[in-house]
């Protein structure tokens, strides 16, 4: 059974009424075609009104939807001959990050992404998509391998944040994230980053330093979750919706701020409504990005990457 979000309930209720009238018409001699047509027109208007005017908190809910496509879903749709690699050669394998090599339109690429579960059992195994330091070290190991063999890197970002537990801190969580930021800034191959769900804090940034950064229409990207921000600002996580309004975490906000390069549209109702259609939208943007980035020499690529991040935000020299 699909999960119904709060703002979708009027749509679902109207769909149920239409379905009920259709069943009644099929089981009786009474023709309710005119009433059904009227309700279907009303439904089209209602859907357009709701999905065209989503609030930041609505997009947060869509980004967190349990049926939203994950990294492995997009790998299956977009790439061929994917081979997953495991382990960081230091401590363990972190299932919250998936890495491997594949072909994209007959070109070898390295694919890296956060991976959450589809059910409780898988979420526990993948730590709800929140990586430990060994996950980021695994990702970095394959980034360096991609550089060695001149393979473009495609990163899918979808995490609430890096795991904040004691064990992760003891094994160098912040150092692992910082090293990824430093190394990604200087990798001599094209890097394309796509936020496909939640992009939370340093856990997202550790896979987010790229030449092109894209976001799905209903994804979010922020330094902290709305609940976390509300707990700090108002000492009350129930103000999360208010925090989401002011944090500028949606794709449209971040596009205006110059932090991302492209907003990838989603099927009406969210990416989970039609995975193949969503993958097609994603495919178009990735192909365009790769075609553009592969024209640059290594020096040009690194210079443009440096200029890109230098323009984000404001700073003063003293």
């Amino acid at each position: 059974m699909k999960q119904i979000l709060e703002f979708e309930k009027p749509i679902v209720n109207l769909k149920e009424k239409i379905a009920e009238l259709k069943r009644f018409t099929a089981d009786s001699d009474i023709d309710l075609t005119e009433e059904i047509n009227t309700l279907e027109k009303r439904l089209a208007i209602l859907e357009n009104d709701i999905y065209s005017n989503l609030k930041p908190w609505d997009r947060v809910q869509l980004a967190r939807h349990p049926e939203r496509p994950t990294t492995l879903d997009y790998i299956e749709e977009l790439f061929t001959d994917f081979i997953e690699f495991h382990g960081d050669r230091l401590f363990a394998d972190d299932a919250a990050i998936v890495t491997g090599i594949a072909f994209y339109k007959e070109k070898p690429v390295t694919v890296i992404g956060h991976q959450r579960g589809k059910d409780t059992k898988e979420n526990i195994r993948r730590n709800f998509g929140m990586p430990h330091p060994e996950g980021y070290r695994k990702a970095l190991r394959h980034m360096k391998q991609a550089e060695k063999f001149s393979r473009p890197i495609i990163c899918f970002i979808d995490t609430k944040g890096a795991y904040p537990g004691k064990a992760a801190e003891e094994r160098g969580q912040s150092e692992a994230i910082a090293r990824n930021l430093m190394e990604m800034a200087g990798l001599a191959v094209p890097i394309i980053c796509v936020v496909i769900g939640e992009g939370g804090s340093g856990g997202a940034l550790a896979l987010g330093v790229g030449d092109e950064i894209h976001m799905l229409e209903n994804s979010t990207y922020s330094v902290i979750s709305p609940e976390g921000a509300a707990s700090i600002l108002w000492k009350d996580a129930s103000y999360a919706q208010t925090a989401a309004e002011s944090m500028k975490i949606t794709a449209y906000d971040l596009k205006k701020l110059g932090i991302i390069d492209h907003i990838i549209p989603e099927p009406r109702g969210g990416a989970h409504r039609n995975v193949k259609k969503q993958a097609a939208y994603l495919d178009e943007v990735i192909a365009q990005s790769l075609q553009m980035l592969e024209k640059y020499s290594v020096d040009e690529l690194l210079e443009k990457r440096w200029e890109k991040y230098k323009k984000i935000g404001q700073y003063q020299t003293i």
Side-chain angles (χ1 to χ4, degrees):
M1 181 179 178
K2 289 187 177 296
Q3 178 173 318
I4 301 169
L5 301 178
E6 188 65 31
F7 67 88
E8 294 179 308
K9 286 183 178 179
I11 295 173
V12 173
N13 291 337
L14 190 52
K15 283 183 176 179
E16 289 176 350
K17 288 180 181 177
I18 293 171
E20 186 179 349
L21 288 179
K22 286 181 176 179
R23 286 194 300 269
F24 185 81
T25 300
D27 296 338
S28 68
D29 296 330
I30 302 174
D31 186 6
L32 298 175
T33 303
E34 187 175 342
E35 288 80 359
I36 291 170
N37 289 339
T38 300
L39 288 179
E40 286 179 337
K41 289 178 183 177
R42 189 187 302 173
L43 175 64
I45 294 171
L46 182 63
E47 285 185 324
N48 184 67
D49 184 52
I50 289 177
Y51 290 126
S52 298
N53 297 283
L54 292 175
K55 297 177 181 178
W57 184 245
D58 298 332
R59 297 191 191 277
V60 170
Q61 291 178 285
L62 283 170
R64 294 173 174 175
H65 199 288
E67 296 164 16
R68 194 169 177 85
T70 65
T71 293
L72 286 174
D73 292 324
Y74 290 121
I75 287 174
E76 183 178 348
E77 294 291 337
L78 297 173
F79 304 95
T80 57
D81 300 322
F82 175 70
I83 302 173
E84 184 177 355
F85 296 146
H86 300 274
D88 66 340
R89 294 184 177 175
L90 289 170
F91 182 76
D93 181 49
D94 186 353
I97 285 187
V98 169
T99 67
I101 57 175
F103 284 97
Y104 177 69
K105 301 187 185 299
E106 301 183 353
K107 295 180 181 179
V109 297
T110 290
V111 186
I112 304 170
H114 299 98
Q115 181 65 34
R116 54 181 174 78
K118 291 293 186 70
D119 54 36
T120 302
K121 184 177 180 180
E122 190 184 5
N123 263 321
I124 291 172
R125 183 170 76 85
R126 297 191 182 277
N127 201 35
F128 295 85
M130 297 185 292
H132 289 76
E134 51 268 25
Y136 294 118
R137 292 180 179 126
K138 175 172 69 170
L140 179 58
R141 179 163 79 88
H142 292 100
M143 290 176 194
K144 300 298 285 185
Q145 183 197 70
E147 183 180 45
K148 179 179 179 180
F149 293 102
S150 300
R151 290 193 299 260
I153 299 169
I154 300 171
C155 293
F156 295 110
I157 297 169
D158 185 14
T159 182
K160 295 180 183 295
Y163 182 61
K166 180 183 176 183
E169 296 296 340
E170 288 175 342
R171 295 197 299 275
Q173 183 73 288
S174 55
E175 187 277 337
I177 292 172
R179 183 167 295 277
N180 276 28
L181 298 178
M182 179 185 73
E183 295 284 1
M184 289 185 81
L187 289 174
V189 291
I191 306 172
I192 298 170
C193 304
V194 186
V195 184
I196 60 174
E198 281 187 276
S201 192
L205 286 176
L207 299 186
V209 180
D211 302 292
E212 292 269 294
I213 304 175
H214 310 303
M215 285 181 69
L216 266 60
E217 182 181 5
N218 294 315
S219 59
T220 61
Y221 201 19
S222 64
V223 70
I224 193 171
S225 70
E227 291 88 349
S231 296
I232 292 171
L233 294 173
W234 298 290
K235 311 299 182 186
D236 188 347
S238 66
Y239 284 90
Q241 185 169 346
T242 304
E245 297 282 347
S246 60
M247 288 170 63
K248 308 298 181 186
I249 62 176
T250 70
Y252 294 95
D253 292 324
L254 294 168
K255 177 70 170 144
K256 288 179 183 178
L257 293 170
I259 293 173
I260 66 168
D261 297 287
H262 192 87
I263 299 172
I264 302 172
E266 296 188 23
R268 176 165 289 184
H272 59 287
R273 300 289 185 185
N274 192 329
V275 179
K276 289 190 179 296
K277 190 173 183 180
Q278 184 61 72
Y281 291 150
L282 192 54
D283 186 30
E284 183 179 351
V285 173
I286 291 175
Q288 290 174 353
S289 294
L290 269 183
Q291 186 177 19
M292 178 188 69
L293 294 173
E294 287 178 338
K295 294 178 181 177
Y296 301 134
S297 68
V298 172
D299 289 340
E300 289 173 328
L301 191 70
L302 294 176
E303 180 62 25
K304 287 182 179 293
R305 193 181 300 163
W306 165 244
E307 291 296 329
K308 173 185 179 65
Y309 285 93
K310 196 166 66 170
K311 291 176 183 176
I312 294 177
Q314 297 179 352
Y315 62 92
Q316 292 180 330
T317 55
I318 299 176

